[in-house]
Amino acid sequence: MALIVQKYGGTSMGTIDRIKNVAKRVKRWHDNGHQIVVVVSAMSGETNRLIDLAQQISRTPNPREYDQMVSTGEQVAMSLLAMAIIEQGIEARSFTGGQVAILTDDTHNKARIEDIDDAKIRAELAAGRVVVVAGFQGITSEGNITTLGRGGSDTTGVALAAALGADECQIYTDVDGVYTTDPRVTSKARKLDKITFEEMLEMASLGSKVLQIRSVEFAGKYQVPLRVLSSFDDNQDGSFDDNFRQNVGTLITVDEGDTMEQPVISGIAFNRDEAKIVVRGVPDRPGVASAILTPISDAHIEIDMILQNLSTDGNTDFSFTVNRPDFDKALAILANIKADIEAKEIHGDDDVVKVSLVGVGMRSHAGVASKMFQVLAENNINIQMISTSEIKISVLIKEQYLDKAVKSLHTAFGLDRTEGESKIAGL
Ligand code: ADP
Ligand code: ASP
Ligand code: MG
């Protein structure tokens, strides 16, 4: 008998038929003698609908009230699934984050899980019930509902798996695993059987939203066996055997394997949510970077790539990127300090994207960057900014070239699916 936490995303819970299908899958696992805790997302589109309602009241809705409301999507989904499981002849009970005591800090809209009291869930499981928990939400020590940020149900799933010492956390979604890149961009994307936590964390941070970043951090920290797999594959019989463990979905592992056999690049991530700001002609003297960036970070705006040009005539140009939703705010802040920092000109471009190559194999291979730049040059794609770390290289390019860049890099780095390999499931 295994204890499994299964998380079902919005598309997997998107219609009543799909919810019934999830219930059937849960039954197969339960019938095989496993203890099952299910974490659900809101039905697809529901969270966006709720956020849109809030924004019709205010562009910056009160954070506490926003959480009270936006958390209801998961509450509806959890009860519908529990009903569907009961219809399958299995005892099930649903609980909100507060009811199973998922305690968070009080950072509304982006709360962090601090503690989970697993006693209630364990008691329910011991009584033979399937436990369904609303994802994406928690509660503060004062009893206020919080939410964990978009995509946060992944983190609920992993956190529960960590607290319960589950044998595996299974993230069921609309594709059958983690691919070399978003399979919606190239049909040549290849499913990975395994990926390391470190690589998955880079992929998620660099824009691959198949897993919420925090869920990967959590899984790495608490060594939670984590698997991404499809909720649309009805052939699985609910056996947690070697065949399942080796062949289904993508396993996120600690093991880097034999680095000699590692491909240099494991995947390509991209992020459309980028905007670039250029501050031209500032005096090139100590303190200038800090004078530009401190007011931006004081406004809780995250800064990503940074570039300072060589100085000419004692002046320099300074560029950096922010998330697109923060673009207008960042420009307004700089307009206010333009005279203080003695900038000649400030302008921005929110028509840019970041494309990144990720792979632990990069550590032992030189020449990845030059090959990447060469491929982009051959495709006439201009690079605006570059940033690197030990296991990734990112470039900022015009959004119109995103597909071309991803596809050509995917081919050039040998990631394309070969004829014999299975086609993408789920799309
Ligand atoms: P869910 O609603 O189940 O949480 P998400 O939409 O959050 O699903 O995540 C699944 C989606 O992530 C896929 O449909 C796919 O388009 C996208 N995605 C982005 N990058 C990747 C990748 N490298 N591998 C697989 N899916 C990816
Ligand atoms: N429903 C929430 C969202 O759409 C959380 C989740 O699906 O993980 O972001
Ligand atoms: Mg998701």
Side-chain angles (χ1 to χ4, degrees):
M1 181 187 74
L3 197 169
I4 311 274
V5 175
Q6 301 187 332
K7 177 259 168 177
Y8 292 90
T11 316
S12 313
M13 295 288 294
T15 61
I16 293 299
D17 277 346
R18 286 186 181 169
I19 292 176
K20 287 182 179 170
N21 220 28
V22 170
K24 284 185 194 149
R25 179 186 306 275
V26 171
K27 176 177 160 52
R28 290 198 292 274
W29 281 86
H30 186 267
D31 286 352
N32 278 341
H34 303 301
Q35 293 187 318
I36 306 296
V37 176
V38 187
V39 173
V40 294
S41 285
M43 295 171 78
S44 57
E46 179 62 6
T47 307
N48 287 346
R49 188 185 74 84
L50 293 169
I51 293 173
D52 183 58
L53 288 177
Q55 282 178 341
Q56 288 180 43
I57 302 277
S58 160
R59 278 200 61 197
T60 49
N62 175 278
R64 179 187 181 278
E65 299 312 319
Y66 172 100
D67 281 351
Q68 289 274 95
M69 185 202 57
V70 84
S71 59
T72 60
E74 271 69 16
Q75 195 167 335
V76 171
M78 73 177 195
S79 321
L80 288 173
L81 180 60
M83 289 173 203
I85 295 171
I86 294 166
E87 286 300 308
Q88 293 288 322
I90 292 169
E91 277 195 65
R93 278 188 180 168
S94 67
F95 299 96
T96 62
Q99 285 175 318
V100 288
I102 299 181
L103 274 179
T104 71
D105 63 12
D106 58 5
T107 323
H108 282 287
N109 312 172
K110 252 192 200 170
R112 280 184 171 270
I113 297 177
E114 290 184 333
D115 194 25
I116 296 181
D117 178 4
D118 56 332
K120 184 169 211 151
I121 298 180
R122 285 193 195 281
E124 295 290 334
L125 291 173
R129 293 191 191 101
V130 168
V131 180
V132 184
V133 180
F136 178 52
Q137 55 178 264
I139 198 157
T140 66
S141 50
E142 285 88 48
N144 290 314
I145 295 175
T146 49
T147 60
L148 310 177
R150 295 307 304 266
S153 301
D154 295 336
T155 302
T156 309
V158 174
L160 279 173
L164 293 163
D167 293 280
E168 191 165 283
C169 179
Q170 301 174 346
I171 306 286
Y172 286 89
T173 184
D174 54 6
V175 287
D176 62 343
V178 178
Y179 278 73
T180 44
T181 192
D182 188 340
R184 287 176 207 279
V185 169
T186 168
S187 58
K188 290 182 179 159
R190 200 174 66 217
K191 184 172 84 71
L192 300 166
D193 294 332
K194 277 182 174 184
I195 183 169
T196 65
F197 281 111
E198 199 183 2
E199 287 171 315
M200 192 63 237
L201 195 58
E202 283 289 357
M203 293 278 282
S205 321
L206 295 167
S208 301
K209 297 198 170 92
V210 59
L211 285 173
Q212 199 202 30
I213 304 169
R214 210 167 282 168
S215 72
V216 187
E217 279 169 3
F218 224 105
K221 186 166 169 196
Y222 296 99
Q223 308 260 307
V224 177
L226 182 61
R227 188 184 301 273
V228 175
L229 66 175
S230 167
S231 67
F232 296 112
D233 174 3
D234 290 331
N235 296 322
Q236 289 157 21
D237 64 0
S239 303
F240 193 51
D241 53 15
D242 282 349
N243 182 44
F244 177 89
R245 281 189 246 228
Q246 278 156 31
N247 297 318
V248 178
T250 301
L251 187 66
I252 327 294
T253 75
V254 205
D255 178 24
E256 280 193 14
D258 182 352
T259 43
M260 292 304 286
E261 284 177 18
Q262 277 290 336
V264 183
I265 302 301
S266 302
I268 303 177
F270 54 84
N271 190 8
R272 289 193 168 88
D273 198 21
E274 299 277 340
K276 180 176 82 163
I277 294 177
V278 184
V279 182
R280 277 200 206 288
V282 279
D284 190 13
R285 58 177 177 234
V288 63
S290 152
I292 295 171
L293 296 183
T294 306
I296 303 283
S297 20
D298 284 350
H300 303 289
I301 295 175
E302 263 176 57
I303 297 152
D304 182 18
M305 302 169 104
I306 301 176
L307 179 78
Q308 185 174 348
N309 289 356
L310 276 180
S311 164
T312 46
D313 310 332
N315 284 329
T316 183
D317 298 339
F318 193 89
S319 317
F320 61 96
T321 59
V322 295
N323 292 325
R324 256 183 228 179
D326 294 327
F327 180 55
D328 291 343
K329 198 168 156 194
L331 277 178
I333 292 171
L334 288 175
N336 269 332
I337 60 163
K338 186 177 171 205
D340 297 342
I341 56 174
E342 299 169 51
K344 293 210 167 56
E345 193 192 336
I346 294 171
H347 68 89
D349 182 358
D350 62 353
D351 188 25
V352 287
V353 292
K354 184 169 70 175
V355 177
S356 311
L357 301 182
V358 175
V360 291
M362 248 186 245
R363 285 197 184 111
S364 46
H365 283 81
V368 177
S370 57
K371 181 166 173 186
M372 180 186 201
F373 303 157
Q374 188 193 338
V375 171
L376 294 173
E378 281 162 8
N379 284 278
N380 266 326
I381 301 172
N382 191 37
I383 302 171
Q384 303 188 12
M385 278 187 174
I386 301 165
S387 76
T388 62
S389 80
E390 224 192 347
I391 66 160
K392 69 118 203 240
I393 302 172
S394 304
V395 294
L396 195 75
I397 59 171
K398 274 274 176 210
E399 178 156 14
Q400 71 190 97
Y401 298 121
L402 174 67
D403 276 30
K404 201 174 182 189
V406 171
K407 285 182 177 149
S408 51
L409 290 167
H410 200 269
T411 304
F413 281 92
L415 298 175
D416 286 357
R417 186 168 52 80
T418 53
E419 279 311 310
E421 286 177 299
S422 59
K423 294 232 164 51
I424 296 163
L427 291 184

